[in-house]
């Protein structure tokens, strides 16, 4: 079971507030979405903006100059009040890395209350690397040399699961059906219509074997958290807040023997140690170790479902089942609302789409509402422990454990 504060070297911080801007295609700048989310989180926490002692922004690579100084962009939009700012970029894991930065500041007693914000104004279609000639950039190379767009990358993993584990396109479709059913209950989701397996099967092929409804979209959106020390939470009259107990941002270990774009080759295993865990498994393992829990303690999880097939990979990486057994879980309803361990009760990226700097923060927002018991029709009964899992390009990983 999860350790209680005082049972060991636990360094919890409090989640005082969570807020979001609905996902969609709104046509505005990312600072607008982040500001809406930040104000919602501050209101949820009952904290005045002028009392915030640090702002950490998850960076976006779009939107021009302000995108690279996201912390200051949000502080300016909220109204300069002198708080220190930080900006963190870690691709799709940026939000969790921003949370890690805020957590470090709180535990080091550099700030007792920190605002974390991530938001994006995404382009139409699938993400591509920024312009220019960059032959030393593996992401640029995978587009230029391989012609491998993001859906092609997702399809490689889907094909591997089919070949190695016997997964089927019908298994993948069940993931979309599950997540769409949850997303239909979430007012912040972009797509709020349930779908059937037949509708997934009849949607257009994008990158065989994946169809349009197997793949997440790109979206505009924002998410924010107000984080604090436990002593600050008690002073605010919140003796039992949702707590962040662990944040994992580990990098891969050599050798990497499975192709994982943007790298266009694997490492040589000749001098490596057999059985090296995958990055995804390492991300979760580090979070569990720090939190003093295991997969059996989980009430729910929010994972990075760029595609339906990739969600099955995460089931295995976070220890819900053994390797190759992910499809069995979704077939049996284990990861659906009402199942033993619901995964992506928010609806996941299948229902939201990608707003890159916001999505790992949004995962923690969902766990916060679930652990408070305020998630409405999608509430996971008796939720006490949750984990997020996310992965960005270039070896950026993240997992956050929340408890109550």
């Amino acid at each position: 079971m999860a350790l209680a504060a005082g049972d060991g070297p636990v360094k919890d911080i409090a989640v005082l507030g969570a807020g979001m801007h609905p996902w969609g295609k709104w046509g505005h700048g990312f600072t607008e979405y982040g500001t809406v989310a930040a104000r919602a989180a501050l209101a949820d926490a009952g904290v005045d903006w002028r009392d915030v002692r640090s702002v950490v922004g998850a960076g976006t690579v779009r939107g021009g100059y302000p995108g690279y100084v996201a912390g200051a962009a949000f502080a300016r939009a909220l109204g300069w009040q002198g708080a220190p700012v930080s900006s963190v970029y870690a691709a799709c894991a940026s939000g969790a890395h921003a949370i890690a930065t805020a957590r470090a500041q709180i535990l080091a007693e550099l700030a007792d209350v920190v605002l974390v914000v991530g938001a994006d104004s995404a382009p139409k279609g699938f993400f591509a690397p920024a312009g220019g000639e960059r032959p030393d950039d593996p992401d640029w190379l995978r587009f230029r040399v391989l012609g491998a767009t993001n859906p092609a990358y997702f399809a490689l993993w889907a094909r591997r699961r089919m070949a190695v584990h016997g997964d089927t396109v019908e298994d993948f479709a069940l993931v979309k059906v599950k997540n769409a059913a949850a997303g239909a209950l979430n007012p912040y989701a972009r797509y709020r219509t349930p779908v059937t397996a037949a509708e997934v099967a009849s949607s257009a092929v994008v990158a065989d074997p994946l169809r349009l409804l197997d793949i997440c979209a790109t979206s505009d959106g924002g998410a924010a958290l107000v984080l604090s020390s436990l002593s600050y939470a008690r002073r605010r009259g919140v003796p039992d807040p949702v707590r962040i107990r662990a944040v994992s941002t580990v990098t891969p270990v050599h050798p990497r023997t499975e192709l994982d774009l943007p790298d266009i080759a694997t490492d040589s295993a000749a001098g490596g140690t057999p059985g090296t865990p995958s990055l995804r498994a390492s991300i979760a393992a580090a979070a569990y170790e720090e939190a003093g829990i295991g997969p059996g303690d989980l009430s729910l999880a929010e994972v990075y479902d760029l595609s339906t097939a990739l969600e099955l990979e995460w089931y295995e990486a976070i220890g819900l089942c053994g390797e190759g057994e992910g499809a069995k879980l979704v077939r049996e309803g284990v990861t659906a609302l009402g199942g033993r361990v619901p995964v992506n009760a928010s609806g996941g990226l299948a229902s939201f789409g990608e707003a890159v700097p916001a999505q790992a923060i949004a995962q923690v927002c969902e766990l916060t509402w679930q652990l408070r018991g305020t998630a409405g029709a999608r509430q996971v009964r008796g939720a006490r422990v949750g984990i997020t899992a996310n992965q960005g390009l270039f070896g950026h990983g993240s997992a956050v454990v929340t408890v109550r």
Side-chain angles (χ1 to χ4, degrees):
M1 292 297 294
L3 293 171
D7 287 350
V10 177
K11 297 180 179 179
D12 293 357
I13 63 169
V15 183
L16 285 187
M20 291 178 65
H21 183 290
W23 259 235
K25 285 287 189 179
W26 309 114
H28 303 296
F30 78 96
T31 51
E32 178 173 332
Y33 311 135
T35 303
V36 169
R39 287 177 176 149
L42 289 165
D44 184 44
V47 172
D48 190 281
W49 158 237
R50 292 167 293 186
D51 294 331
V52 170
R53 301 276 44 93
S54 176
V55 181
V56 184
T60 173
V61 297
R62 288 169 291 281
Y65 174 70
Y68 293 94
V69 287
F74 296 129
R76 179 178 182 273
L78 290 164
W80 296 124
Q81 48 89 308
V85 297
S86 306
S87 298
V88 179
Y89 182 71
C92 293
S94 294
H97 284 241
I99 291 169
T101 299
R103 179 175 180 248
Q105 292 175 354
I106 293 167
L107 294 178
E109 299 183 353
L110 299 175
D112 54 5
V113 58
V114 181
L115 175 67
V116 178
V117 192
D120 207 356
S121 183
K124 183 178 181 180
F126 297 107
F127 293 125
E133 299 286 316
R134 299 189 312 284
D136 58 345
D137 176 351
D139 199 37
W140 182 86
L141 285 171
R142 62 118 169 179
F143 277 84
R144 181 62 64 90
V145 175
L146 296 182
T149 61
N150 285 358
Y153 154 48
F154 308 155
L156 284 173
W157 276 102
R159 275 291 169 201
R160 184 181 186 278
R161 290 199 64 85
M162 296 173 78
V164 176
H165 303 309
D167 292 3
T168 67
V169 292
E170 289 78 17
D171 295 326
F172 303 153
L174 291 177
V175 176
K176 174 65 176 184
V177 172
K178 170 187 73 71
N179 288 349
L185 305 174
N186 192 332
Y188 295 106
R190 177 178 177 181
Y191 301 106
R192 300 192 58 199
T193 303
V195 301
T196 65
E199 288 171 324
V200 178
S202 64
S203 63
V205 174
V206 176
D208 189 60
L210 299 178
R211 298 181 178 271
L212 185 63
L213 293 184
D214 283 303
I215 297 169
C216 75
T218 61
S219 289
D220 299 353
L225 296 165
V226 176
L227 306 177
S228 79
S229 65
L230 296 182
S231 61
Y232 182 91
R234 285 191 291 269
R235 293 198 302 271
R236 301 292 301 190
V238 186
D240 184 29
V242 172
R243 304 169 187 225
I244 291 177
R245 181 147 292 176
V247 182
S248 167
T249 59
V250 299
T251 53
V253 174
H254 288 293
R256 300 180 72 187
T257 57
E258 297 173 357
L259 181 62
D260 195 0
L261 293 176
D263 298 318
I264 58 178
T266 58
D267 303 329
S268 171
T273 302
T276 301
S278 70
L279 172 58
R280 281 188 277 276
S282 298
I283 293 167
Y288 287 140
E289 181 177 4
E290 182 182 7
I293 67 167
D297 296 312
L298 293 178
S299 305
L300 74 163
E302 288 285 312
V303 305
Y304 184 50
D305 59 317
L306 288 171
S307 77
T308 52
L310 190 60
E311 179 168 320
L312 301 181
E313 291 277 330
W314 281 112
Y315 295 173
E316 298 158 18
I318 66 175
L320 297 184
C321 60
E323 185 177 355
E325 297 175 354
K328 183 174 183 287
L329 292 193
V330 77
R331 289 181 207 134
E332 294 177 352
V334 171
T335 57
L337 287 176
R340 177 170 55 82
V341 186
V343 176
N344 288 338
S346 66
L349 295 182
S351 300
F352 278 75
E354 285 194 275
V356 170
Q359 54 210 32
I361 300 171
Q363 289 180 323
V364 178
C365 288
E366 179 65 18
L367 291 189
T368 298
W369 295 323
Q370 290 284 353
L371 269 59
R372 286 178 179 172
T374 60
R378 65 185 190 283
Q379 179 65 48
V380 175
R381 189 173 182 179
R384 301 291 293 177
V385 181
I387 191 171
T388 72
N390 208 304
Q391 182 180 350
L393 293 175
F394 315 115
H396 289 124
S398 72
V400 179
V401 172
T402 61
V403 301
R404 191 163 192 195

